Amino acid sequence: MADLAELRANIDEIDRQMITLLAERFKYTEEVGIYKDQHGLSAQDPSREAQQFQKLALYAEQSGLNPRYAEQIYRHIMDLVISRHQELKTVQK
Ligand SMILES: O=C(O)C(=O)C[C@]1(C(=O)O)C=C[C@@H](O)C=C1
């Protein structure tokens, strides 16, 4: 059994990688938000989300992650993205 410091070092490294990937994901969703604003599209796209949640559940199962955790984490991420897209739409032009 690894000691606590070793376990926490692994967690810290995963957190570093997750933040890097989240920053990258939010850069792309920012571009999507600008595109949606310019083309008069809704901030939220439920059919796209349904496809994503299906894939996320599969990835979670394949990785041994509780699919409900994946769903809750991504629901929160997407809600943040939707809020940002709504904000982009209300910016004075
Ligand atoms: O793909 C889009 O249309 C997005 O706005 C991105 C995103 C996402 O974070 O993946 C966010 C909100 C939408 O409801 C669907 C997906």
Side-chain angles (χ1 to χ4, degrees), residues 56-85:
L56 290 165
L58 185 68
Y59 299 154
E61 277 164 24
Q62 288 170 345
S63 305
L65 175 70
N66 183 334
R68 280 184 299 126
Y69 290 0
E71 186 179 345
Q72 286 180 31
I73 291 163
Y74 271 86
R75 182 68 269 156
H76 191 61
I77 291 171
M78 287 182 197
D79 286 345
L80 290 171
V81 171
I82 291 163
S83 295
R84 175 61 185 152
H85 288 179

Side-chain angles (χ1 to χ4, degrees), residues 25-26 28-30 32-33 36 41-50 52-53 56 74-75 77-83 85:
R25 190 182 198 283
F26 275 100
Y28 286 117
T29 57
E30 184 76 8
V32 170
K36 284 183 167 183
L41 300 174
S42 301
Q44 185 167 22
D45 184 339
S47 66
R48 166 72 176 151
E49 287 186 10
Q52 288 169 285
F53 279 111
L56 290 165
Y74 271 86
R75 182 68 269 156
I77 291 171
M78 287 182 197
D79 286 345
L80 290 171
V81 171
I82 291 163
S83 295
H85 288 179

